[in-house]
Amino acid sequence: MAITAHSIKGLVRRSALLGAAAACAALAAPAQADVKAGVDAWSAGEYSVAVAEWRGPAQAGDADALFNLAQAYRLGRGVEPDVERARQLYAQAADRGHVKAADNYGLLLFQQGEQDAAMPLIRAAAERGDPRAQYVLGLAHFNADYAERDWVRAYALLTLANAAGLPQAGNALGQMDDYVPLAQRQQAQSLARQIEAESEHRRAAELAAVDLGNRDEPAAPARASEPPRRSAALTRPSSRPVPVPASQRRVPAQAAPQRASGNWGVQLGAFGVRDNADRLWSRLESNPALAGTRKTLINGGNVTRLRAVGFASQREAQDACNTLKRQGQGCIVARP
């Protein structure tokens, strides 16, 4: 009953390479001159120049530069291919609140056989609408590997990935048709529309929390071996207050749990304007999921990272983060 035409691992490898268009060749460029210059050089096919422009900002902790360097190492452009180095850079950028880096990091972990660590990141990426993550999570739900069996959700996720142009998704849907009853496939169409609407809302909320004004435009379809045909849209620090959905607004305070004075944290965002970090904390500090934690601001490069620290374990921090994500608030677990 399992879909076995290709292994999930192999399909993840191929789907990750589709990013020469929307995920792998898309680059982020804030107002910092070196990062923008690197994106311009990359778009012109001058990959070594681009890498040289990004190294300084990356060493200073710039999340966009870290992400862009990870892309270069992942694709082997301007540097020798080095997946492990790409993994390190994705992790560092994700730790600084870079959403796309977190998505790619989760897929890379899965590809390398670390499914337990990867699945929370893949779920989050799928919830934001990443078709690669939707594809992997859909197969996981269908085969009951790394996720509970749920054929309706599996078919809905694969439908969305297929609509986004992921070639493997169409093949997988064809195989699912032999097993998933018609009534469940019809339910999946309604669920797909619901997931799509929720992902648009979640993506907007999380990108706002990262405090980046304009995200990358979709690039023209291209093979992984081709240079990008258009430059990514620049992202700029914004001084606008971060919009917060109603579900995130202040809730009545409850008695704080007696947490151990742990060092695990939940990162709530990375901000070019420190006041925005303070504003977001003022809205979230009374959320029960963060009860008993303390506000921590970490300065690095051009950003200030906001963390709620005080969780005794990674599991405790992940549970809190999962609760916040269900409310529409982006977050990642931060190591001590």
Side-chain angles (χ1 to χ4, degrees):
M1 187 176 295
I3 294 179
T4 57
H6 302 281
S7 70
I8 290 179
K9 182 177 179 180
L11 287 166
V12 172
R13 180 179 296 112
R14 280 184 288 277
S15 64
L17 290 177
L18 291 176
C24 281
L27 302 173
Q32 183 170 337
D34 290 344
V35 181
K36 180 184 181 301
V39 172
D40 292 341
W42 180 278
S43 299
E46 299 175 355
Y47 304 122
S48 297
V49 174
V51 168
E53 292 285 0
W54 293 329
R55 289 196 187 279
Q59 291 175 357
D62 184 279
D64 290 320
L66 288 165
F67 171 72
N68 292 351
L69 273 181
Q71 302 289 63
Y73 278 105
R74 183 76 176 86
L75 294 172
R77 293 180 181 167
V79 290
E80 289 297 317
D82 189 337
V83 174
E84 288 307 311
R85 181 58 179 151
R87 170 175 165 159
Q88 295 170 3
L89 291 164
Y90 282 138
Q92 291 175 39
D95 188 52
R96 286 160 174 77
H98 200 289
V99 174
K100 287 187 177 181
D103 294 350
N104 285 6
Y105 182 50
L107 289 163
L108 190 54
L109 287 176
F110 194 98
Q111 177 185 330
Q112 294 181 331
E114 299 182 38
Q115 285 81 10
D116 289 340
M119 286 311 295
L121 293 168
I122 287 175
R123 285 183 183 275
E127 289 170 356
R128 283 191 291 271
D130 186 299
R132 302 164 302 161
Q134 289 173 336
Y135 173 80
V136 174
L137 184 58
L139 288 189
H141 278 305
F142 182 83
N143 292 323
D145 290 333
Y146 320 115
E148 67 279 7
R149 188 181 301 281
D150 186 338
W151 282 5
V152 173
R153 183 165 293 274
Y155 203 92
L157 289 167
L158 267 293
T159 297
L160 291 171
N162 184 55
L166 203 66
Q168 305 93 303
N171 296 332
L173 282 173
Q175 295 180 63
M176 285 186 181
D177 286 341
D178 294 334
Y179 301 102
V180 180
L182 176 60
Q184 291 188 2
R185 281 182 269 157
Q186 292 173 336
Q187 293 175 33
Q189 300 309 310
S190 297
L191 180 59
R193 290 191 294 271
Q194 177 184 336
I195 292 174
E196 185 175 30
E198 290 175 350
S199 69
E200 290 178 358
H201 171 79
R202 185 180 301 275
R203 186 165 55 248
E206 293 197 11
L207 292 177
V210 178
D211 194 36
L212 297 177
N214 301 309
R215 297 307 295 170
D216 299 327
E217 297 176 357
R223 292 190 298 274
S225 59
E226 295 179 342
R229 299 185 182 276
R230 59 193 291 188
S231 60
L234 304 184
T235 58
R236 303 174 179 83
S238 171
S239 59
R240 295 174 298 173
V242 177
V244 177
S247 60
Q248 295 182 36
R249 293 171 188 160
R250 284 183 178 271
V251 295
Q254 299 181 6
Q258 296 301 310
R259 299 192 192 279
S261 56
N263 293 323
W264 283 90
V266 170
Q267 184 161 303
L268 303 168
F271 303 84
V273 179
R274 178 174 173 142
D275 287 349
N276 284 347
D278 295 329
R279 271 193 286 270
L280 182 58
W281 178 257
S282 71
R283 294 185 178 103
L284 293 179
E285 61 181 329
S286 298
N287 191 306
L290 301 179
T293 63
R294 60 188 181 275
K295 170 187 175 183
T296 301
L297 296 176
I298 301 173
N299 295 317
N302 295 324
V303 298
T304 298
R305 287 169 280 156
L306 170 63
R307 291 182 180 177
V309 177
F311 298 99
S313 66
Q314 181 179 13
R315 177 179 293 276
E316 189 176 293
Q318 188 65 62
D319 288 345
C321 188
N322 291 341
T323 298
L324 292 171
K325 286 179 178 178
R326 286 194 292 271
Q327 299 171 4
Q329 170 60 43
C331 60
I332 57 174
V333 172
R335 300 176 183 276

